[in-house]
Amino acid sequence: MRVCILGQGFVASVFGVGLERIRAGEVEPYGVPLARDLPIPIDDIEIVGTFDVDPTKVGHSVAEVARRYLTDVPALLDRVPVFRGVHLGSLDGTPVKAEGIDRDQTLRECVDTLVLEYERLAPDVFVNLCTTERPNPIPDRKALFGAVAKDRRKALTASQFYFYTVLRYARSHGAAFVNCIPTAIANEPALETLAAEAGVPLFGDDGASGATPLTSDLLEHQRQRNRLVTSIAQFNIGGNFDFLTLTDPGRNLAKEKTKSAFVRDVLGYDPPHYMKPTGYLAPLGDRKFVAMHVPYRSFNEAEDEIMVLARINDSPALAGLVVDLVRLARICLDRGVFGAVYPVNAFYMKNPGPAGKPAIARTAAYTELRAWLRHKTTPTVADGGPSGSAAP
Ligand code: NAD
């Protein structure tokens, strides 16, 4: 199965390196939830190309980029090229002087250029790992189509534009879209419906890899014991480029939304909470510092509290999930399950699409995902959420 990555950063680099090391038998697939439990072996995953807009990455190989982040980069990744993507202001306000094909081409021309490139690479699955974007709602399909047709660059983020190009490509070659970043794609009803109609399995939004799934499981634990959670504080400080970009308030807002999407869904009420990436500290590198504080009321008004401190390697946590997500995407393509696939999203995504579906505890989502995988032979409306995205 062939995979194309959008955004050749830290997560994409760990993903490529980890895959090759698993293939070579150098490492076990720890951190991949369904490592050996899917009908598609990890060895079948092939990265065919990636897209970026950082001029120091474009035109190089994935191996060359990965060597900036990691040692022991397998030479096989020298064969995988990094192509130039669309910028649409993704990296504005950061130290990177980005250059996309949109510098010299209209949006329509950019669509043609990218779709031609996709047709050459023939990927089955696209994984969006671009820099976190500021929120940008798309009210309806006309807004998306109109922005491309009329070259309205400010109306679209790069992720929304890439999604559009994948819809176009999917007309001639089935493809899935995995959105690991906070931008609403699976949660944007207009886009979700388009995916269902175009036969595109859609996973999103924002990979649930670090403190968020742990917090949601802690809250479920409290709910099951009928304890009253009185507040939640969750701090995240990291030293990678993603944390640097999250010091921009607009980008941070997007993250905050997906990070706190589950509180009311799990508890049934909304205690005061503060959960968002809180700072950038270069010496921490990719190993972020996480602190969590969950005070609660118990029997006879006893006041208790849970505190968690952790150092977590940020990028491998998501890269391990991507190993499952691309294989699940291929399975959905084979089974004709299109649109936002809630049983997958509920486990792997912070803000699981489609819109309106709850962000349940991961322990519960895991059991449901396994049941869905075991029993599912005929797609039903429930597989794709309220819009009924299963193929005939
Ligand atoms: P990163 O900054 O290392 O990589 C992002 C890459 O995207 C960079 O190479 C950048 O040049 C590229 N990029 C930016 N705009 C682009 C565009 N328009 N087209 C193509 N490429 C573009 O970040 P990362 O740590 O790899 O994280 C990637 C994404 O994953 C972020 O959006 C983050 O919110 C999301 N995410 C990460 C984690 C995690 O690391 N554990 C968890 C959940 C979600």
Side-chain angles (χ1 to χ4, degrees):
M1 52 163 305
R2 299 167 71 81
V3 175
C4 179
I5 308 274
L6 309 166
Q8 185 56 46
F10 212 140
V11 176
S13 296
V14 182
F15 174 65
V17 170
L19 270 184
E20 291 305 334
R21 295 188 71 203
I22 292 169
R23 212 192 306 277
E26 286 174 31
V27 292
E28 292 294 324
Y30 298 129
V32 180
L34 302 176
R36 296 200 173 87
D37 299 346
L38 291 178
I40 301 172
I42 293 175
D43 287 1
D44 282 8
I45 302 170
E46 185 191 355
I47 304 169
V48 292
T50 78
F51 289 81
D52 209 289
V53 289
D54 179 340
T56 67
K57 296 179 176 177
V58 173
H60 293 268
S61 70
V62 167
E64 287 171 301
V65 176
R67 284 189 194 105
R68 294 187 192 182
Y69 304 103
L70 302 158
T71 51
D72 292 339
V73 174
L76 271 172
L77 292 174
D78 274 312
R79 288 198 222 139
V80 187
V82 182
F83 300 100
R84 192 180 301 283
V86 284
H87 180 221
L88 290 178
S90 286
L91 286 164
D92 285 355
T94 77
V96 177
K97 300 280 165 258
E99 274 178 27
I101 55 171
D102 43 323
R103 197 187 62 175
D104 306 317
Q105 298 182 22
T106 65
L107 291 185
R108 272 199 211 190
E109 288 166 340
C110 292
V111 174
D112 292 341
T113 304
L114 288 179
V115 171
L116 211 63
E117 201 64 79
Y118 300 161
E119 282 169 355
R120 215 177 46 74
L121 297 170
D124 309 301
V125 183
F126 291 80
V127 184
N128 183 21
L129 289 169
C130 289
T131 305
T132 310
E133 299 167 339
R134 300 182 186 107
N136 180 50
I138 300 281
D140 51 38
R141 64 176 65 196
K142 270 201 241 153
L144 178 69
F145 297 154
V148 175
K150 298 193 173 133
D151 205 36
R152 282 196 218 111
R153 287 147 190 261
K154 297 258 183 265
L156 293 181
T157 69
S159 299
Q160 292 162 343
F161 184 78
Y162 283 126
F163 175 74
Y164 179 93
T165 61
V166 171
L167 291 178
R168 264 283 302 276
Y169 165 72
R171 286 187 200 161
S172 57
H173 188 299
F177 194 85
V178 180
N179 181 41
C180 293
I181 86 165
T183 303
I185 304 279
N187 279 282
E188 193 69 88
L191 304 188
E192 199 271 327
T193 308
L194 283 169
E197 290 172 4
V200 172
L202 176 58
F203 298 166
D205 299 307
D206 200 8
S209 57
T212 307
L214 180 61
T215 314
S216 83
D217 285 346
L218 272 178
L219 296 191
E220 175 70 6
H221 180 89
Q222 304 298 55
R223 189 192 67 79
Q224 288 173 358
R225 285 154 187 82
N226 194 25
R227 297 166 175 163
L228 179 75
V229 173
T230 50
S231 69
I232 308 160
Q234 189 207 97
F235 302 103
N236 269 275
I237 300 174
N240 61 23
F241 188 73
D242 191 32
F243 273 89
L244 179 64
T245 60
L246 288 170
T247 53
D248 170 308
R251 297 180 202 266
N252 200 294
L253 181 66
K255 207 61 168 179
E256 188 183 350
K257 278 190 179 163
T258 59
K259 278 180 86 66
S260 53
F262 65 88
V263 176
R264 177 177 283 283
D265 289 343
V266 173
L267 289 177
Y269 55 95
D270 217 359
H273 56 264
Y274 183 101
M275 289 185 286
K276 54 178 156 179
T278 11
Y280 171 73
L281 185 63
L284 293 182
D286 197 42
R287 247 182 111 213
K288 65 185 175 188
F289 170 69
V290 178
M292 218 188 286
H293 179 224
V294 183
Y296 60 93
R297 195 159 301 150
S298 187
F299 185 64
N300 195 35
E301 300 212 313
E303 299 285 345
D304 297 335
E305 52 199 323
I306 295 175
M307 280 177 257
V308 176
L309 290 184
R311 285 290 302 276
I312 297 175
N313 279 286
D314 202 25
S315 304
L318 179 56
L321 301 188
V322 176
V323 176
D324 274 356
L325 285 164
V326 295
R327 294 181 298 153
L328 287 162
R330 179 69 255 178
I331 290 168
C332 287
L333 277 169
D334 293 344
R335 290 178 174 185
V337 180
F338 306 135
V341 186
Y342 181 68
V344 172
N345 295 339
F347 180 64
Y348 291 96
M349 297 294 166
K350 288 195 187 85
N351 191 17
K357 286 282 197 177
I360 56 176
R362 304 303 138 149
T363 43
Y366 181 76
T367 309
E368 287 184 20
L369 172 67
R370 291 196 83 103
W372 177 79
L373 279 166
R374 230 182 0 259
H375 298 302
K376 175 144 189 2
T377 45
T378 316
T380 66
V381 168
D383 293 315
S387 63
S389 41

